[in-house]
């Protein structure tokens, strides 16, 4: 994407009611005003809150929002020019139960309060295969601790990926740390049993992997 196009999207994001771009100061220097108040201030209801971390263009957030109108969805990504697509679609199609936040996933426990979140989706994260990149892997022990803080006790995480490494790493870590694996599937389009929302929605990255005939894997788990 050209820089002109990106700038246009950044400008447009600032005008969208469904886009939130907290500054570092707002997050770090004081308690963020929406922390603990996402349902009441933004969605104006008491429905369950579902996050998509590293949402890219926001396909999952938008499609889940259409499928589940009685739940609220928030896509999070550091790249505003990407989720511009999802935010724009939500406005054009009048989908009120989806929003987007431009921030780092490392800050989820600053943006959301304890027990504020019902469910998390992690869709096609960068697997960060190199050992030195372990700290950036979105299912490492430190990230799981952050997710546990914001999730309700009965809350759970969905991981959908094309990376066998990420699938195996996460299963191993979950078992090693004693978390609860609710469901696992190593090839969601070939091995039956995946929830409908796993096979009926494809993200941008997913469609590229499917063209290469790569198996797509899925894990649903609870953090203890
Ligand atoms: C491989 S892409 C997948 C995007 C989308 N989920 C999909 O399937 O098409 C990973 C996304 O995560 C975002 N991301 C990676 N690390 C992040 C971080 N620490 N904080 C916020 N976003 C991050 C990137 O900007 C990118 O959009």
């Amino acid at each position: 994407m050209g820089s002109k196009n990106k700038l246009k999207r950044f400008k447009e994001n600032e005008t969208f009611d469904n886009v939130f771009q907290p500054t570092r100061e707002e997050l770090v220097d004081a308690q963020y005003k929406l922390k603990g108040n996402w349902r009441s201030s933004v969605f104006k209801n008491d429905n369950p809150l579902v996050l998509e971390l590293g949402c890219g263009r926001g396909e999952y957030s938008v499609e889940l929002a259409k499928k589940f109108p009685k739940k609220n969805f928030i896509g999070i990504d550091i790249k505003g020019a990407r989720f511009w697509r999802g935010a724009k679609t939500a406005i054009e199609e009048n989908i009120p139960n989806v929003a987007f936040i431009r921030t780092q996933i490392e800050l989820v426990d600053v943006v959301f309060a304890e027990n504020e979140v019902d469910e998390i989706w992690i869709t096609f994260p960068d697997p960060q295969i190199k050992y030195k990149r372990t700290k950036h892997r979105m299912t490492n022990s430190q990230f799981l601790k952050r997710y546990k803080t914001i999730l309700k006790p009965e809350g759970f995480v969905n991981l959908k990926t094309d990376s066998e490494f990420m699938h195996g790493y996460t299963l191993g870590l979950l078992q090693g740390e004693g978390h609860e694996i609710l469901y696992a599937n190593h090839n969601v389009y070939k091995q039956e049993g995946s929830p409908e929302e796993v096979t009926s929605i494809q993200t941008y990255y997913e469609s590229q992997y499917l063209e290469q005939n790569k198996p797509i894997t899925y894990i649903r788990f609870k953090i203890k």
Side-chain angles (χ1 to χ4, degrees), residues 124 160-167 185-191 198 205-206 208-218:
F124 299 88
K160 195 177 176 190
T161 175
D162 66 296
S163 164
E164 287 181 15
F165 166 78
M166 190 73 180
H167 185 72
N185 188 325
H186 65 275
N187 192 341
V188 297
Y189 297 107
K190 290 241 166 81
Q191 191 198 338
V198 172
Y205 276 82
E206 178 170 0
Q208 293 188 324
Y209 300 131
L210 285 174
E211 270 176 27
Q212 301 163 22
N213 270 328
K214 282 179 114 184
I216 305 299
T217 69
Y218 171 74

Side-chain angles (χ1 to χ4, degrees), residues 39-159:
R39 280 184 188 76
S40 57
S41 299
V42 173
F43 296 105
K44 319 251 187 266
N45 62 40
D46 203 24
N47 294 340
L49 185 61
V50 183
L51 309 183
E52 183 191 4
L53 306 179
C55 67
R57 301 179 181 195
E59 294 95 337
Y60 244 89
S61 297
V62 168
E63 290 306 316
L64 286 173
K66 288 198 225 170
K67 265 183 202 297
F68 301 101
K70 289 265 149 35
K71 290 184 184 182
N72 305 313
F73 294 87
I74 300 183
I76 299 177
D77 206 291
I78 198 64
K79 302 230 164 130
R82 289 195 185 164
F83 67 59
W84 167 89
R85 181 60 273 168
K88 178 106 176 156
T89 301
I91 289 168
E92 286 172 348
E93 297 185 16
N94 269 321
I95 310 166
N97 57 328
V98 61
F100 293 89
I101 307 175
R102 184 177 172 274
T103 195
Q104 283 183 302
I105 293 152
E106 285 80 352
L107 297 175
V108 277
D109 50 348
V110 177
V111 176
F112 298 94
E114 270 180 43
N115 298 331
E116 189 171 13
V117 175
D118 292 81
E119 191 178 330
I120 291 175
W121 280 81
I122 306 173
T123 49
F124 299 88
D126 301 314
Q128 308 286 9
I129 283 176
K130 287 187 189 156
Y131 175 64
K132 279 195 167 166
R133 301 288 298 172
T134 309
K135 68 170 190 281
H136 299 290
R137 207 173 292 140
M138 278 173 56
T139 55
N140 74 22
S141 204
Q142 211 190 343
F143 274 111
L144 294 189
K145 284 195 187 101
R146 292 186 184 110
Y147 306 156
K148 182 179 163 58
T149 306
I150 61 170
L151 277 169
K152 292 187 174 154
E154 68 278 14
F156 56 91
V157 182
N158 304 276
L159 169 69

